């Protein structure tokens, strides 16, 4: 009995710490926003003594990204915490929640009526609410309530998932504890506005729209992130998330879309996509573009948006960069390859399923170098005249500082073009490759273009084809494409860059051989 009393005295002598509530709105100090709906959230709070610290808003982190750091020994626990919450005006049982309370109720309608009095308790569920006013008892449908005002705030206890940080030991006091994680619900969307102020000068402006569907926060530094991050578990919630369980967690791990051809990556529709490098290059040179060396070794770029407070559902929009730069007007004419991997023509039905891919129209375009000190991220780009008239909307891919890009504005209808191909009469050579029969054919292609404008134009021609180039007018640059690796025929692109005077017509001939499966 004496031993039991001694143990009880020792337990009574241990310090008892009251849980300290952390405000999630003020503790969020920064958020890094990706363009795919993910945000890197960073909480900071200062502690000066051991104890329990409660964050009543439990986040839903991405698997592997939840971290608690600080010069202290901390055990984090996810559990239900009781928090005070104002009684909602649209409660399911208003007569029960507000019974005996002095209220002012505003009813819906063109001429709103306000009833002031005490809510009477109802002994059975009903849509009718009774209020005792100076004029007597009035009954009304609770669906007519627009607003309820209370003389004193009424709170009720609600159990919701929260995080408890049990701080056992401290280093130097006070200690700053940092809680960071990736979570879904906040992102940014970029776009560009281009005003062609003259034939050679333009003004380009970058805009960012931030939409918050994550949580409320008071004053967080927002950073815009662009690049192509490798986040392998973007669709898997962390086990510390209140919205998961072991069965769901394991199911999400097994459900990640993985195959030899489609490794698991973030869904980045028009989000982080980069243009193939060869598409930016001028046909006049086979070297890489000259770029300013300003990278930090990893192609993830952070751009400051500012410090803002946002509520769940808020949207912010802000212009974040403007630049006056040089550009040149060109006509870009891309002629697609109309043969499949076996050298056969792609039929009309298949081409109609992807009209954009097989379109061979010339486009009025602008070519310019990115003169921002940071990369131009993948985003829509709208081109205007100085008077504010829209010329067209294009899609700008990732462009490094100093690198050139081309944006299509509108179809060049006043540049008349025509393409034709004919087989050169010759003996068809037959051969067997990997057990399949092929015949080699020689083809002659002709490109015709005419400038019906009153001004000269510069035309950039890109002709893709399958096979081996034999000869071509104008000494074009011939580039071997990666898409032909698994094809019996090479996949090539011919590039010409030339000028047409007003009214001038020009023909370009080329010849190539192709293997056709028979």
């Amino acid at each position: 009995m004496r031993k039991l009393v001694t143990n009880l005295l020792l337990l009574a002598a241990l310090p008892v710490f009251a849980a300290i509530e952390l405000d999630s709105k003020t503790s969020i100090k920064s958020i890094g926003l990706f363009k795919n709906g993910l945000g890197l959230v960073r909480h900071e709070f200062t502690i000066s003594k051991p104890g329990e610290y409660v964050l009543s808003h439990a986040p839903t982190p991405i698997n592997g990204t939840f971290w608690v750091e600080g010069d202290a020994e901390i055990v984090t626990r996810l559990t239900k915490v009781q928090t005070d919450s104002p009684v909602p005006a649209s409660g399911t049982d208003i007569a029960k929640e507000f019974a005996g309370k002095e209220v002012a109720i505003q009813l819906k309608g063109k001429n709103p009526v306000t009833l002031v009095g005490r809510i009477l308790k109802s002994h059975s569920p009903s849509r009718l609410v009774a209020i005792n006013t100076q004029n007597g008892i009035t009954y009304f449908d609770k669906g007519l309530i627009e607003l309820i005002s209370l003389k004193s705030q009424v709170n009720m206890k609600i159990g919701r998932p929260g995080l408890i940080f049990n701080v056992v030991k401290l280093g130097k006091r006070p200690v700053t504890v940092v809680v960071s994680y990736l979570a879904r619900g906040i992102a940014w969307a970029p776009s560009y506005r281009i005003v062609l102020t003259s034939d050679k000068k333009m003004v380009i402006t970058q805009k960012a729209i931030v939409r918050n569907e994550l949580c409320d926060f008071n004053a967080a530094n927002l950073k815009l992130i662009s690049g192509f991050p490798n986040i392998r578990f973007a669709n898997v919630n962390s086990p510390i998330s209140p919205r998961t369980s072991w069965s769901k967690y394991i199911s999400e791990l097994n459900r990640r879309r993985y195959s030899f051809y489609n490794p698991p990556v973030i869904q980045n529709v028009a989000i982080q996509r980069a243009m193939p490098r060869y598409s930016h290059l001028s046909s006049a040179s086979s070297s890489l573009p000259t770029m300013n060396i300003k990278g930090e070794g990893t192609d993830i770029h952070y751009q400051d948006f500012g410090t803002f407070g946002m509520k769940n559902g808020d949207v912010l929009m802000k212009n974040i960069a403007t630049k006056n730069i040089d550009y040149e007007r060109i006509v870009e004419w891309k002629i697609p390859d109309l043969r499949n991997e076996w050298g056969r023509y792609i039929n009309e039905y298949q081409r109609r399923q992807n009209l954009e891919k097989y379109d061979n129209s010339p486009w009025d375009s602008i070519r310019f170098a990115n003169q921002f000190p940071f990369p131009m991220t993948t985003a829509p780009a709208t081109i205007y005249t100085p008077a504010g008239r829209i010329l067209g909307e294009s899609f700008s891919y990732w462009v490094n500082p100093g690198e050139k890009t081309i944006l299509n504005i509108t179809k060049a209808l006043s540049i008349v073009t025509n393409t034709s191909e004919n087989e050169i009469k010759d003996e068809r050579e037959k051969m067997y490759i990997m057990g399949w029969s092929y015949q080699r054919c020689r083809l002659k292609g002709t490109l015709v273009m005419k400038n019906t404008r009153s001004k000269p134009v510069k035309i950039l021609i890109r002709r893709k084809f399958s096979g081996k180039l034999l000869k071509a007018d104008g000494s074009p640059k011939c580039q071997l494409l990666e898409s032909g690796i698994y094809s019996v025929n090479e996949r090539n692109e011919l590039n010409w860059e030339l000028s047409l005077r007003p009214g001038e017509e020009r023909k370009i001939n080329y010849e190539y051989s192709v293997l056709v499966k028979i």
Side-chain angles (χ1 to χ4, degrees):
M1 182 68 182
R2 182 176 297 173
K3 184 177 180 181
L4 176 61
V5 171
T6 303
N7 289 337
L8 290 174
L9 290 173
L10 288 173
L11 288 174
L14 291 176
V16 178
F17 302 110
I20 299 174
E21 181 76 22
L22 301 173
D23 188 349
S24 62
K25 295 181 183 179
T26 58
S27 66
I28 296 179
K29 300 301 180 184
S30 67
I31 305 177
L33 288 76
F34 288 97
K35 295 190 291 179
N36 51 20
L38 294 181
L40 178 60
V41 184
R42 180 185 174 96
H43 296 257
E44 291 183 14
F45 53 91
T46 302
I47 57 176
S48 56
K49 60 182 180 179
E52 286 190 344
Y53 296 82
V54 180
L55 190 66
S56 57
H57 171 76
T60 305
I62 299 302
N63 184 41
T65 67
F66 183 84
W67 291 93
V68 180
E69 301 169 277
D71 188 13
E73 183 180 329
I74 304 174
V75 178
T76 304
R77 178 160 54 102
L78 173 71
T79 187
K80 279 193 174 182
V81 295
Q82 298 293 323
T83 58
D84 287 336
S85 178
V87 178
S90 58
T92 55
D93 194 345
I94 292 176
K96 179 179 179 181
E97 301 292 352
F98 292 90
K101 302 294 188 298
E102 290 287 340
V103 299
I105 298 178
Q106 181 178 315
L107 302 181
K108 298 177 182 177
K110 293 183 178 180
N111 300 311
V113 175
T114 301
L115 301 175
V116 179
R118 186 182 300 274
I119 295 290
L120 300 180
K121 186 175 182 179
S122 175
H123 298 285
S124 61
S126 172
R127 288 192 59 83
L128 292 179
V129 178
I131 182 172
N132 189 4
T133 69
Q134 292 181 349
N135 300 322
I137 298 176
T138 302
Y139 293 87
F140 58 90
D141 192 302
K142 63 181 180 181
L144 296 175
I145 297 176
E146 179 74 27
L147 180 67
I148 296 181
S149 300
L150 301 167
K151 287 188 175 181
S152 60
Q153 178 66 52
V154 178
N155 291 332
M156 59 182 178
K157 292 289 185 181
I158 294 180
R160 61 180 60 179
L163 293 175
I164 296 179
F165 303 101
N166 187 7
V167 181
V168 181
K169 294 181 181 179
L170 292 178
K172 294 181 179 180
R173 306 185 185 191
V175 173
T176 298
V177 176
V178 176
V179 180
S180 61
Y181 51 88
L182 275 175
R184 305 180 195 91
I186 189 166
W188 74 290
S191 58
Y192 294 97
R193 176 185 174 91
I194 297 173
V195 180
L196 306 180
T197 55
S198 69
D199 290 341
K200 295 184 179 180
K201 294 285 185 179
M202 72 182 204
V203 178
I204 180 169
T205 302
Q206 185 185 35
K207 177 189 71 180
I209 296 177
V210 173
R211 185 179 186 91
N212 175 32
E213 298 175 358
L214 179 68
C215 64
D216 296 354
F217 53 88
N218 284 350
N221 181 248
L222 304 182
K223 294 286 187 180
L224 311 178
I225 306 175
S226 55
F228 203 129
N230 179 28
I231 302 177
R232 300 293 293 268
F233 297 96
N235 298 312
V236 181
N237 289 333
S238 168
I240 204 169
S241 166
R243 298 183 181 180
T244 194
S245 61
W246 279 124
S247 60
K248 188 176 180 181
Y249 173 74
I250 295 171
S251 174
E252 287 175 346
L253 284 176
N254 294 331
R255 199 167 58 239
R256 286 189 309 136
R257 295 165 298 168
Y258 183 84
S259 69
F260 180 80
Y261 298 103
N262 296 299
V265 294
I266 285 181
Q267 299 178 14
N268 284 340
V269 186
I271 300 174
Q272 318 288 359
R273 188 177 173 188
M275 193 72 154
R277 283 285 171 254
Y278 67 82
S279 65
H280 290 304
L281 303 181
S282 166
S283 61
S285 172
S286 59
S287 61
L288 289 173
T290 302
M291 293 185 285
N292 299 324
I293 308 302
K294 295 184 179 179
E296 298 179 355
T298 304
D299 290 327
I300 298 293
H301 176 72
Y302 283 73
Q303 192 169 3
D304 186 59
F305 186 78
T307 300
F308 296 93
M310 299 183 73
K311 293 187 177 183
N312 195 328
D314 282 359
V315 179
L316 294 176
M317 187 180 76
K318 179 183 174 183
N319 294 343
I320 55 178
T322 299
K323 195 80 171 176
N324 289 279
I325 63 175
D326 298 328
Y327 78 98
E328 60 177 331
R329 292 291 292 264
I330 64 171
V331 172
E332 186 180 38
W333 185 19
K334 293 187 286 188
I335 304 105
D337 187 358
L338 298 182
R339 294 183 182 273
N340 60 24
E341 58 268 35
W342 300 290
R344 296 173 176 170
Y345 261 116
I346 298 171
N347 61 47
E348 183 71 18
Y349 173 78
Q350 290 176 298
R351 296 203 297 268
R352 288 186 178 276
Q353 304 309 304
N354 195 339
L355 294 176
E356 183 178 355
K357 179 180 179 180
Y358 295 107
D359 179 43
N360 67 349
S361 303
W363 285 82
D364 267 314
S365 308
I366 55 174
R367 181 166 58 186
F368 61 93
N370 175 18
Q371 295 185 23
F372 288 119
F374 51 83
M376 287 178 58
T377 187
T378 306
T382 311
I383 298 96
Y384 297 86
T385 68
R389 296 178 180 178
I390 188 170
L391 296 175
E393 184 186 48
S394 189
F395 195 74
S396 176
Y397 294 87
W398 178 281
V399 189
N400 289 307
E403 187 178 5
K404 286 188 176 182
T405 188
I406 295 175
L407 298 182
N408 297 145
I409 303 176
T410 183
K411 286 190 177 182
L413 302 178
S414 55
I415 305 299
V416 182
T417 59
N418 186 41
T419 62
S420 63
E421 277 193 353
N422 296 288
E423 184 179 356
I424 299 175
K425 189 175 181 180
D426 196 359
E427 182 178 348
R428 294 181 175 179
E429 179 186 359
K430 295 185 179 180
M431 61 187 70
Y432 291 92
I433 301 176
M434 301 294 291
W436 299 99
S437 298
Y438 289 87
Q439 62 183 16
R440 186 188 300 276
C441 303
R442 290 186 61 190
L443 296 165
K444 178 181 179 181
T446 301
L447 306 177
V448 182
M449 67 220 78
K450 183 177 181 179
N451 178 18
T452 65
R453 299 176 179 176
S454 58
K455 294 182 179 180
V457 296
K458 181 181 288 187
I459 299 184
L460 175 61
I461 305 171
R462 290 180 175 150
R463 173 60 167 117
K464 292 182 180 179
F465 69 94
S466 296
K468 185 176 181 180
L469 180 67
L470 300 177
K471 61 180 181 178
D473 296 343
S475 302
K477 172 189 169 186
C478 184
Q479 184 168 341
L480 190 64
L481 303 181
E482 184 183 2
S483 56
I485 289 178
Y486 298 103
S487 172
V488 70
N489 289 293
E490 296 176 355
R491 297 293 178 102
N492 293 286
E493 183 178 89
L494 292 175
N495 284 268
W496 292 269
E497 188 162 330
L498 48 91
S499 295
L500 286 180
R501 298 186 303 273
E504 182 182 3
E505 180 179 318
R506 189 176 299 187
K507 291 183 181 180
I508 295 178
N509 296 311
Y510 58 94
E511 293 183 13
Y512 67 98
S513 63
V514 61
L515 295 174
V516 182
K517 186 178 177 182
I518 56 176

